Amino acid sequence: MTLHLPSGPALALGAASASYQIEGATAEDGRGVSIWDTFSLVPGATKDGKDGSVACDSYHRYQDDVDLVADLGADLYRFSVAWPRIIPTGVGSVEERGLAYYDRLVDALLARGVTPTGTFYHWDLPQALEDKGGWLDRDTAYAFADYAMVVHERLGDRVKVWATHNEPWCAAYLGYAAAVHAPGRREGGEAHRAAHHLLLGHGLAAERLHAAGSQDVGIVLNLAPIWPEPGLPPEAADGIDAIRNRVWLGPLVDGAYDAGLLRVAPVLADPELVREGDLDLIRGSADWMGVNYYTPVRPGPVEPTPAGDVRHPETDAYPGAEPVTFVVREPRTDIGWEVDAYGLEELLLETYKRTGLPLMVTENGAAYADDVVADVPGVGRCVQDEDRRAYLEDHIAATERARQAGADIRGYIVWTLLDNFEWAEGYTKYFGIVHVDPQTQERTPKASYRWLQERLRG
Ligand code: FCB
């Protein structure tokens, strides 16, 4: 039984953000260095060579963000806490000024009637921990649980709904196998160790949070519907599904890594890695689950490669799985992701069937170029993002359909409030319902924001 997840008759709506993508002020008030500060400096790591050192300057302008969320009429605001602001070197001494920032943010949200929901880890690992092995090292899981408890002790009286991790698939496989996210390592199948340690960190934190009285501890996963293309051998599709979806759901629901997963990730059978008690700790540890969805995954057969070359770069993020190509059909958003709202409906129904847990769509949204700007009477000049509005409308409808079909879905949270630092894409892809001028930091709601506001006003 969760206590504080939205439970009204209507789907709760909100907007999301993540610390490194919006805060800036990376060298202020004692904040330590994160792996994204380091990684962004590597030539070629981000498309425009930029980093999050300024971003949307939300560290100073959080009140503007809160006003935008409140004026939208949103029920929820999903934010993440930057670990290096709280414990600059990952373990040990706590930075009071970092905690004070989130105090101010949370109080500002509550003062305007918006429910804050927090995420402890949205990818900004303290660099000092990466220097000791990062998520490949078991100690990082224990450090994570300690950090989560520090945050919860301070904010838990006001923030009741927490997620431990955001998209651990990205943290493990984009970070430690495909090298497109921080820390930018290419460790192949070793990345499965990172996956296990992320799950262990979740389990350790959940156990202690529950002991401290929290009943709304979740985890946010970017699960995906896997739709194989004709001609793909079944085991190739199974390998993708195993590493994208089952590596998380197996331990969380059954307390086990399944045989199909162990076929592609044999290291997960190593008793030195998966120690006695780990899986018992993880099983049943989530009170709710967040689903982030943007696009379906369509693995297809690989084109013939020169003799001997069995590696396919698109499969780097799925170490151990048979090589595939990922087919992307039309229509696509500006980041090249296929638009298919039915994928969300199917995913929610399947995830509910599999887990039985209350769900929230913790992220969904679309990148578009935002090149249509018009003067709107009574509003002024703003981006006319009809494409984004349609995407949101269709995906909210898909969420409602899954709900009517019986899935226990409590909320839908748009990614994202502000145009921001889009990881490896730098500042070249815009997901915001609010435009941000990179020079002046002026925030201007787009047509999609106005549409959502009308909808929320009923
Ligand atoms: C998700 C991330 C989020 C954002 C969106 C577009 O994978 O959780 O921070 O970058 O994609």
Side-chain angles (χ1 to χ4, degrees):
M1 260 277 284
T2 59
L3 280 183
H4 299 279
L5 220 55
S7 59
L11 185 67
L13 288 177
S17 68
S19 47
Y20 191 70
Q21 293 180 275
I22 64 164
E23 286 177 359
T26 47
E28 224 166 292
D29 286 348
R31 178 187 177 282
V33 175
S34 84
I35 55 173
W36 269 95
D37 299 300
T38 310
F39 179 68
S40 304
L41 295 179
V42 176
T46 65
K47 207 169 259 175
D48 53 4
K50 297 195 175 144
D51 62 24
S53 55
V54 177
C56 305
D57 194 31
S58 290
Y59 191 71
H60 301 114
R61 294 169 200 259
Y62 67 88
Q63 186 63 56
D64 295 351
D65 301 352
V66 169
D67 289 340
L68 282 163
V69 178
D71 293 345
L72 181 66
D75 308 294
L76 306 165
Y77 182 64
R78 173 173 178 245
F79 71 100
S80 79
V81 177
W83 186 345
R85 283 200 194 285
I86 308 302
I87 305 179
T89 54
V91 288
S93 65
V94 172
E95 174 52 74
E96 165 58 30
R97 292 170 293 178
L99 286 169
Y101 167 67
Y102 296 103
D103 258 343
R104 293 194 292 278
L105 172 64
V106 164
D107 288 344
L109 287 162
L110 292 171
R112 295 230 37 202
V114 178
T115 302
T117 94
T119 301
F120 294 115
Y121 187 67
H122 199 130
W123 308 349
D124 35 9
L125 184 73
Q127 180 63 40
L129 290 184
E130 178 55 35
D131 295 343
K132 292 189 265 178
W135 287 108
L136 298 184
D137 184 17
R138 190 175 170 94
D139 289 347
T140 299
Y142 290 87
F144 170 73
D146 288 344
Y147 147 71
M149 292 314 290
V150 169
V151 174
H152 185 261
E153 202 166 299
R154 181 65 167 256
L155 302 180
D157 58 335
R158 286 153 292 154
V159 183
K160 300 295 185 184
V161 176
W162 287 97
T164 52
H165 294 305
N166 176 76
E167 302 190 359
W169 180 83
C170 295
Y173 297 108
L174 299 184
Y176 290 88
V180 295
H181 277 188
R185 293 172 63 176
R186 282 192 179 279
E187 306 288 346
E190 289 293 287
H192 299 301
R193 292 184 188 276
H196 180 69
H197 292 145
L198 282 151
L199 280 164
L200 177 63
H202 159 84
L204 292 166
E207 182 181 50
R208 291 171 61 186
L209 291 162
H210 286 142
S214 180
Q215 281 190 260
D216 301 84
V217 183
I219 184 166
V220 170
L221 303 175
N222 58 330
L223 302 171
I226 308 293
W227 294 340
E229 290 287 307
L232 185 74
E235 62 277 15
D238 190 77
I240 300 299
D241 181 47
I243 296 173
R244 184 65 178 255
N245 298 318
R246 282 152 33 213
V247 68
W248 317 110
L249 295 176
L252 288 163
V253 180
D254 307 325
Y257 293 119
D258 67 65
L261 172 63
L262 295 179
R263 180 182 69 85
V264 292
V267 70
L268 292 173
D270 176 357
E272 279 294 301
L273 171 65
V274 183
R275 299 202 187 154
E276 215 178 316
D278 286 5
L279 291 167
D280 287 340
L281 182 75
I282 297 162
R283 176 180 37 213
S285 58
D287 306 309
W288 63 278
M289 193 169 281
V291 174
N292 291 357
Y293 171 82
Y294 294 90
T295 190
V297 170
R298 299 181 188 271
V302 285
E303 299 303 317
T305 52
D309 179 9
V310 290
R311 180 182 155 267
H312 194 275
E314 285 197 58
T315 324
D316 282 355
Y318 294 87
E322 284 83 359
V324 300
T325 43
F326 290 104
V327 174
V328 183
R329 299 201 183 161
E330 303 285 348
R332 303 176 187 180
T333 64
D334 192 45
I335 202 168
W337 297 349
E338 178 181 339
V339 178
D340 192 317
Y342 173 72
L344 177 57
E345 185 179 345
E346 179 186 291
L347 182 63
L348 289 169
L349 286 167
E350 291 293 315
T351 307
Y352 184 62
K353 198 160 79 184
R354 177 79 176 93
T355 65
L357 291 173
L359 306 178
M360 292 216 280
V361 178
T362 30
E363 281 181 30
N364 175 247
Y368 286 109
D370 286 348
D371 41 7
V372 184
V373 180
D375 246 312
V376 178
V379 172
R381 264 180 88 67
C382 69
V383 174
Q384 296 301 304
D385 53 343
E386 167 53 26
D387 33 22
R388 181 176 294 102
R389 187 205 63 70
Y391 182 101
L392 297 177
E393 182 170 30
D394 290 350
H395 286 76
I396 294 172
T399 307
E400 294 282 11
R401 281 197 300 277
R403 217 171 174 237
Q404 272 144 28
D408 181 7
I409 305 162
R410 307 298 184 88
Y412 171 97
I413 305 180
V414 176
W415 184 268
T416 178
L417 183 67
L418 306 174
D419 288 344
N420 61 39
F421 176 76
E422 181 44 44
W423 308 114
E425 305 290 332
Y427 298 91
T428 67
K429 299 291 177 236
Y430 312 117
F431 280 88
I433 55 173
V434 174
H435 174 267
V436 180
D437 182 309
Q439 258 71 54
T440 63
Q441 296 291 349
E442 192 188 344
R443 284 121 160 91
T444 312
K446 303 178 191 178
S448 56
Y449 174 99
R450 302 280 173 211
W451 169 80
L452 201 57
Q453 189 177 47
E454 286 298 307
R455 194 189 155 109
L456 283 161
R457 281 181 185 155

Tab-separated table of all heavy atoms in Angstrom, residues 17-18 21 78 122-123 166-167 170 181 222 292 294 335 337 363 415 420-423 431, ligand 1:
chain	number	residue	atom	x	y	z
A	17	SER	N	11.954	17.443	-14.517
A	17	SER	CA	13.268	18.035	-14.801
A	17	SER	C	14.318	17.103	-14.218
A	17	SER	O	13.993	16.109	-13.567
A	17	SER	CB	13.389	19.411	-14.139
A	17	SER	OG	13.411	19.266	-12.724
A	18	ALA	N	15.587	17.424	-14.449
A	18	ALA	CA	16.688	16.685	-13.815
A	18	ALA	C	17.785	17.682	-13.483
A	18	ALA	O	18.046	18.613	-14.256
A	18	ALA	CB	17.224	15.604	-14.748
A	21	GLN	N	20.549	18.816	-15.921
A	21	GLN	CA	20.045	19.388	-17.167
A	21	GLN	C	19.575	20.831	-17.021
A	21	GLN	O	19.443	21.538	-18.021
A	21	GLN	CB	18.907	18.515	-17.716
A	21	GLN	CG	19.410	17.149	-18.168
A	21	GLN	CD	18.301	16.275	-18.707
A	21	GLN	OE1	17.605	15.600	-17.938
A	21	GLN	NE2	18.110	16.250	-20.012
A	78	ARG	N	8.330	16.834	-10.889
A	78	ARG	CA	9.344	15.800	-10.647
A	78	ARG	C	10.719	16.432	-10.835
A	78	ARG	O	11.014	16.949	-11.909
A	78	ARG	CB	9.130	14.643	-11.631
A	78	ARG	CG	10.203	13.596	-11.580
A	78	ARG	CD	9.901	12.368	-12.438
A	78	ARG	NE	11.034	11.467	-12.317
A	78	ARG	CZ	11.841	11.128	-13.314
A	78	ARG	NH1	11.617	11.538	-14.545
A	78	ARG	NH2	12.875	10.342	-13.088
A	122	HIS	N	19.687	10.895	-10.972
A	122	HIS	CA	19.436	11.095	-12.404
A	122	HIS	C	20.792	11.375	-13.052
A	122	HIS	O	21.012	12.434	-13.635
A	122	HIS	CB	18.428	12.233	-12.622
A	122	HIS	CG	17.758	12.226	-13.971
A	122	HIS	ND1	16.397	12.322	-14.130
A	122	HIS	CD2	18.262	12.157	-15.218
A	122	HIS	CE1	16.095	12.315	-15.428
A	122	HIS	NE2	17.221	12.221	-16.113
A	123	TRP	N	21.740	10.468	-12.813
A	123	TRP	CA	22.965	10.316	-13.595
A	123	TRP	C	24.156	11.176	-13.181
A	123	TRP	O	25.221	11.036	-13.770
A	123	TRP	CB	22.712	10.529	-15.083
A	123	TRP	CG	21.600	9.706	-15.646
A	123	TRP	CD1	20.942	8.669	-15.036
A	123	TRP	CD2	21.011	9.845	-16.938
A	123	TRP	NE1	19.986	8.154	-15.889
A	123	TRP	CE2	19.994	8.859	-17.055
A	123	TRP	CE3	21.239	10.701	-18.007
A	123	TRP	CZ2	19.225	8.719	-18.197
A	123	TRP	CZ3	20.465	10.556	-19.146
A	123	TRP	CH2	19.467	9.579	-19.243
A	166	ASN	N	16.720	7.044	-11.895
A	166	ASN	CA	16.106	7.328	-13.185
A	166	ASN	C	16.827	6.533	-14.268
A	166	ASN	O	18.045	6.688	-14.456
A	166	ASN	CB	16.226	8.815	-13.526
A	166	ASN	CG	15.665	9.109	-14.912
A	166	ASN	OD1	14.448	9.152	-15.096
A	166	ASN	ND2	16.532	9.267	-15.909
A	167	GLU	N	16.081	5.704	-14.970
A	167	GLU	CA	16.603	4.980	-16.135
A	167	GLU	C	17.978	4.356	-15.892
A	167	GLU	O	18.964	4.724	-16.533
A	167	GLU	CB	16.654	5.901	-17.363
A	167	GLU	CG	15.306	6.482	-17.734
A	167	GLU	CD	15.291	7.195	-19.084
A	167	GLU	OE1	16.346	7.257	-19.748
A	167	GLU	OE2	14.222	7.680	-19.477
A	170	CYS	N	20.186	3.418	-18.894
A	170	CYS	CA	21.093	4.408	-19.496
A	170	CYS	C	22.367	4.525	-18.671
A	170	CYS	O	23.480	4.574	-19.216
A	170	CYS	CB	20.422	5.777	-19.594
A	170	CYS	SG	19.007	5.808	-20.707
A	181	HIS	N	27.134	8.167	-22.890
A	181	HIS	CA	26.820	8.954	-21.698
A	181	HIS	C	27.995	8.830	-20.720
A	181	HIS	O	28.806	7.900	-20.825
A	181	HIS	CB	25.546	8.437	-21.024
A	181	HIS	CG	24.281	8.961	-21.640
A	181	HIS	ND1	23.043	8.753	-21.094
A	181	HIS	CD2	24.059	9.709	-22.753
A	181	HIS	CE1	22.110	9.336	-21.836
A	181	HIS	NE2	22.699	9.917	-22.851
A	222	ASN	N	13.276	3.070	-18.064
A	222	ASN	CA	12.880	3.291	-19.465
A	222	ASN	C	12.693	1.943	-20.146
A	222	ASN	O	13.431	1.537	-21.028
A	222	ASN	CB	13.843	4.200	-20.235
A	222	ASN	CG	15.280	3.714	-20.269
A	222	ASN	OD1	15.745	3.054	-19.347
A	222	ASN	ND2	15.993	4.047	-21.334
A	292	ASN	N	9.237	5.607	-18.138
A	292	ASN	CA	9.591	6.666	-19.090
A	292	ASN	C	9.470	6.092	-20.483
A	292	ASN	O	10.075	5.053	-20.785
A	292	ASN	CB	11.037	7.146	-18.890
A	292	ASN	CG	11.228	7.895	-17.585
A	292	ASN	OD1	10.278	8.117	-16.836
A	292	ASN	ND2	12.456	8.288	-17.319
A	294	TYR	N	9.301	7.061	-24.765
A	294	TYR	CA	9.368	7.983	-25.898
A	294	TYR	C	9.040	7.304	-27.221
A	294	TYR	O	8.409	7.894	-28.089
A	294	TYR	CB	10.768	8.619	-25.991
A	294	TYR	CG	11.053	9.513	-24.815
A	294	TYR	CD1	11.650	9.015	-23.652
A	294	TYR	CD2	10.687	10.852	-24.842
A	294	TYR	CE1	11.870	9.830	-22.552
A	294	TYR	CE2	10.910	11.680	-23.751
A	294	TYR	CZ	11.505	11.155	-22.606
A	294	TYR	OH	11.707	11.963	-21.522
A	335	ILE	N	14.728	14.386	-32.749
A	335	ILE	CA	15.877	13.623	-32.252
A	335	ILE	C	15.951	12.263	-32.970
A	335	ILE	O	16.809	11.430	-32.672
A	335	ILE	CB	15.800	13.483	-30.700
A	335	ILE	CG1	17.161	13.200	-30.072
A	335	ILE	CG2	14.757	12.477	-30.283
A	335	ILE	CD1	17.203	13.345	-28.541
A	337	TRP	N	13.476	9.930	-33.104
A	337	TRP	CA	12.738	8.847	-32.442
A	337	TRP	C	11.345	8.723	-33.068
A	337	TRP	O	10.637	9.718	-33.253
A	337	TRP	CB	12.604	9.119	-30.929
A	337	TRP	CG	13.927	9.157	-30.216
A	337	TRP	CD1	15.152	8.782	-30.717
A	337	TRP	CD2	14.177	9.619	-28.876
A	337	TRP	NE1	16.128	8.962	-29.767
A	337	TRP	CE2	15.562	9.480	-28.632
A	337	TRP	CE3	13.362	10.128	-27.859
A	337	TRP	CZ2	16.151	9.834	-27.420
A	337	TRP	CZ3	13.940	10.472	-26.654
A	337	TRP	CH2	15.324	10.324	-26.429
A	363	GLU	N	8.050	10.150	-17.433
A	363	GLU	CA	8.567	10.990	-18.523
A	363	GLU	C	7.900	10.577	-19.818
A	363	GLU	O	7.810	9.386	-20.124
A	363	GLU	CB	10.077	10.819	-18.741
A	363	GLU	CG	10.941	11.548	-17.789
A	363	GLU	CD	12.429	11.358	-18.078
A	363	GLU	OE1	12.812	11.171	-19.255
A	363	GLU	OE2	13.198	11.399	-17.107
A	415	TRP	N	7.930	15.245	-20.029
A	415	TRP	CA	9.323	15.642	-20.196
A	415	TRP	C	9.343	16.669	-21.315
A	415	TRP	O	9.106	16.289	-22.445
A	415	TRP	CB	10.249	14.467	-20.522
A	415	TRP	CG	11.655	14.983	-20.572
A	415	TRP	CD1	12.342	15.440	-21.671
A	415	TRP	CD2	12.519	15.182	-19.444
A	415	TRP	NE1	13.567	15.919	-21.295
A	415	TRP	CE2	13.706	15.764	-19.941
A	415	TRP	CE3	12.398	14.947	-18.071
A	415	TRP	CZ2	14.768	16.118	-19.101
A	415	TRP	CZ3	13.463	15.283	-17.241
A	415	TRP	CH2	14.632	15.850	-17.760
A	420	ASN	N	16.439	22.401	-22.289
A	420	ASN	CA	17.571	22.285	-21.365
A	420	ASN	C	18.742	21.517	-21.978
A	420	ASN	O	18.750	21.248	-23.183
A	420	ASN	CB	17.095	21.647	-20.055
A	420	ASN	CG	16.546	20.244	-20.258
A	420	ASN	OD1	17.067	19.462	-21.044
A	420	ASN	ND2	15.472	19.911	-19.548
A	421	PHE	N	19.706	21.158	-21.154
A	421	PHE	CA	20.896	20.410	-21.595
A	421	PHE	C	20.509	18.961	-21.849
A	421	PHE	O	20.254	18.214	-20.901
A	421	PHE	CB	21.994	20.501	-20.520
A	421	PHE	CG	23.208	19.681	-20.831
A	421	PHE	CD1	24.125	20.107	-21.780
A	421	PHE	CD2	23.446	18.478	-20.177
A	421	PHE	CE1	25.246	19.342	-22.081
A	421	PHE	CE2	24.568	17.707	-20.473
A	421	PHE	CZ	25.465	18.145	-21.426
A	422	GLU	N	20.448	18.592	-23.121
A	422	GLU	CA	19.964	17.252	-23.474
A	422	GLU	C	21.144	16.287	-23.623
A	422	GLU	O	21.396	15.737	-24.683
A	422	GLU	CB	19.088	17.341	-24.725
A	422	GLU	CG	18.483	16.029	-25.225
A	422	GLU	CD	17.892	15.126	-24.152
A	422	GLU	OE1	17.186	15.612	-23.270
A	422	GLU	OE2	18.181	13.910	-24.200
A	423	TRP	N	21.892	16.093	-22.537
A	423	TRP	CA	22.967	15.100	-22.464
A	423	TRP	C	23.887	15.162	-23.689
A	423	TRP	O	24.389	16.243	-24.019
A	423	TRP	CB	22.364	13.697	-22.247
A	423	TRP	CG	21.402	13.667	-21.086
A	423	TRP	CD1	20.057	13.449	-21.154
A	423	TRP	CD2	21.684	13.903	-19.677
A	423	TRP	NE1	19.500	13.508	-19.889
A	423	TRP	CE2	20.474	13.790	-18.979
A	423	TRP	CE3	22.849	14.193	-18.948
A	423	TRP	CZ2	20.368	13.951	-17.590
A	423	TRP	CZ3	22.752	14.353	-17.562
A	423	TRP	CH2	21.527	14.233	-16.912
A	431	PHE	N	13.039	19.743	-25.822
A	431	PHE	CA	11.885	18.969	-25.338
A	431	PHE	C	10.930	19.831	-24.511
A	431	PHE	O	9.891	19.357	-24.082
A	431	PHE	CB	12.354	17.817	-24.447
A	431	PHE	CG	12.852	16.589	-25.168
A	431	PHE	CD1	14.176	16.469	-25.547
A	431	PHE	CD2	11.987	15.538	-25.458
A	431	PHE	CE1	14.644	15.324	-26.188
A	431	PHE	CE2	12.442	14.382	-26.094
A	431	PHE	CZ	13.771	14.277	-26.471
B	1	FCB	C1	15.418	10.425	-20.875
B	1	FCB	C2	16.094	11.106	-19.702
B	1	FCB	C3	15.809	12.573	-19.604
B	1	FCB	C4	15.767	13.235	-20.966
B	1	FCB	C5	14.884	12.477	-21.916
B	1	FCB	C6	14.773	13.084	-23.294
B	1	FCB	O1	16.153	9.294	-21.242
B	1	FCB	O2	15.697	10.501	-18.494
B	1	FCB	O3	16.751	13.149	-18.752
B	1	FCB	O4	17.036	13.430	-21.448
B	1	FCB	O5	15.333	11.162	-22.050
